[in-house]
Amino acid sequence: MEIRTVGVVGAGQMGNGIAHVMALAGYDVMLNDISQDMLEKGLAKIHSNLERQVSRDKISADDMKAAMARIKPTVQLPDLGQVDLVIESATEREAVKQSIFEQLVPHLEPHTILTSNTSSISITRLASGTDRPEKFMGFHFMNPVPIMQLVELIRGIATDQETFQACSAVVEKLGKTSATSEDFPAFIVNRILMPMINEAVYTLYEGVGNVTSIDVSMKLGTNHPMGPLELADFIGLDTCLAIMNVLHDGLADTKYRPCPLLTKYVEAGWLGRKTGRGFYDYRGETPVPTR
């Protein structure tokens, strides 16, 4: 089947990026969130990011205007019922995602493909709560979506080949590259990345190095563009903790035990850039390490 219309659930950091690239690639996009305020913030972010691309001659002003015109915001989840492809991009909590699918499924067309942008949760388990496990799969974009080239495609145990091929074609039309992962906790990228971040937090927790030393060591010693603690702040410490818990619970291996310091930061509400404080304090002109 050919995908022409796309519904995106969630207008936050990932959702607005997904809507951005979909609209720019020519898809008509229905963008949903629970409040008008969240939708307006998401649309403003898309507009700002498109303007940046125009200023860097990546796209034309006409491309930007056309992309914005293709995005239709709505606070009514049932409005997404007529689209060909739904990409759920809500918070990384399984109960929230299941609730969204329960509300959405009765309104979907028989041909509609359901996907989740989850970075760690079982696709098979999410699919089992819907009426179309064969038309359900993981569609995991990297952050920031307009810049990062990879999309992880994850098949559940029941996902059929037609669904996989349709999603692969979408990735190709976006000008991105897909990697296929089996449905195991955290898939490929986060199965490798999150334990590295968690180990960096343990390195801080045990006093091996401070925030600056750890990040500088990894940037200059391994040529990473961002240090692991800086990257954790960018991703969101709550998301990092959620993924580590999925790994720890799903694989029952103590090597995936979340660092107590990561848990403490999340309990404090220091979630990184989005809250103004994490391993760095972002409330001044330049970020300052908090430890």
Side-chain angles (χ1 to χ4, degrees):
M1 71 174 279
E2 183 183 356
I3 306 295
R4 293 187 177 88
T5 55
V6 179
V8 180
V9 182
Q13 189 176 42
M14 294 302 293
N16 70 60
I18 294 168
H20 171 148
V21 297
M22 289 289 178
L24 202 54
Y27 294 102
D28 290 324
V29 179
M30 189 77 71
L31 180 61
N32 165 263
D33 212 305
I34 56 174
S35 73
Q36 192 64 37
D37 181 56
M38 286 295 294
L39 282 172
E40 288 173 2
K41 286 179 180 176
L43 288 169
K45 186 67 173 176
I46 294 169
H47 191 271
S48 171
N49 287 337
L50 286 168
E51 280 187 326
R52 185 178 293 111
Q53 288 180 299
V54 172
S55 70
R56 295 176 179 174
D57 295 323
K58 301 288 186 183
I59 62 172
S60 70
D62 286 344
D63 291 334
M64 172 180 164
K65 184 177 179 181
M68 289 301 300
R70 291 188 191 105
I71 303 172
K72 300 291 186 286
T74 178
V75 294
Q76 302 298 326
L77 195 57
D79 287 350
L80 274 60
Q82 305 301 309
V83 303
D84 300 321
L85 169 68
V86 173
I87 303 174
E88 171 275 318
S89 187
T91 187
E92 192 69 356
R93 287 166 50 201
E94 188 166 346
V96 172
K97 294 178 185 297
Q98 289 173 335
S99 174
I100 288 167
F101 294 132
E102 285 172 10
Q103 295 173 61
L104 186 57
V105 160
H107 305 282
L108 295 178
E109 294 293 326
H111 73 274
T112 301
I113 293 173
L114 261 181
T115 69
S116 176
N117 185 54
T118 178
S119 53
S120 62
I121 298 168
S122 168
I123 299 303
T124 298
R125 196 163 61 241
L126 288 175
S128 70
T130 75
D131 66 343
R132 60 195 68 209
E134 73 287 349
K135 291 187 176 299
F136 192 108
M137 65 181 296
F139 209 135
H140 180 217
F141 288 83
M142 305 297 123
N143 185 30
V145 179
I147 296 171
M148 301 296 279
Q149 290 300 301
L150 182 72
V151 179
E152 278 184 314
L153 294 179
I154 307 100
R155 277 182 277 210
I157 196 169
T159 306
D160 64 27
Q161 186 62 17
E162 183 184 17
T163 297
F164 177 77
Q165 288 174 340
C167 290
S168 295
V170 171
V171 176
E172 189 173 336
K173 187 172 178 180
L174 295 177
K176 296 185 182 295
T177 300
S178 62
T180 306
S181 171
E182 294 301 315
D183 186 20
F184 286 95
F187 318 131
I188 295 172
V189 173
N190 283 318
R191 171 76 176 262
I192 297 168
L193 174 64
M194 286 302 158
M196 185 197 77
I197 287 175
N198 194 53
E199 194 61 31
V201 182
Y202 266 115
T203 305
L204 178 65
Y205 178 60
E206 294 170 4
V208 180
N210 61 25
V211 168
T212 301
S213 295
I214 293 166
D215 277 352
V216 167
S217 293
M218 293 304 290
K219 282 193 285 188
L220 302 184
T222 61
N223 208 27
H224 288 193
M226 298 173 74
L229 301 176
E230 182 185 7
L231 179 57
D233 276 357
F234 181 74
I235 294 167
L237 304 193
D238 53 339
T239 300
C240 294
L241 179 60
I243 296 170
M244 286 308 302
N245 281 326
V246 166
L247 279 165
H248 191 231
D249 294 344
L251 298 171
D253 192 323
T254 55
K255 72 180 180 180
Y256 299 116
R257 183 172 69 97
C259 179
L261 184 61
L262 178 60
T263 302
K264 192 170 290 293
Y265 268 70
V266 173
E267 288 174 345
W270 293 17
L271 308 182
R273 285 181 178 269
K274 61 186 174 185
T275 58
R277 275 190 294 189
F279 292 113
Y280 293 85
D281 189 327
Y282 300 92
R283 294 174 298 173
E285 289 186 11
T286 56
V288 178
T290 53
R291 290 177 82 88

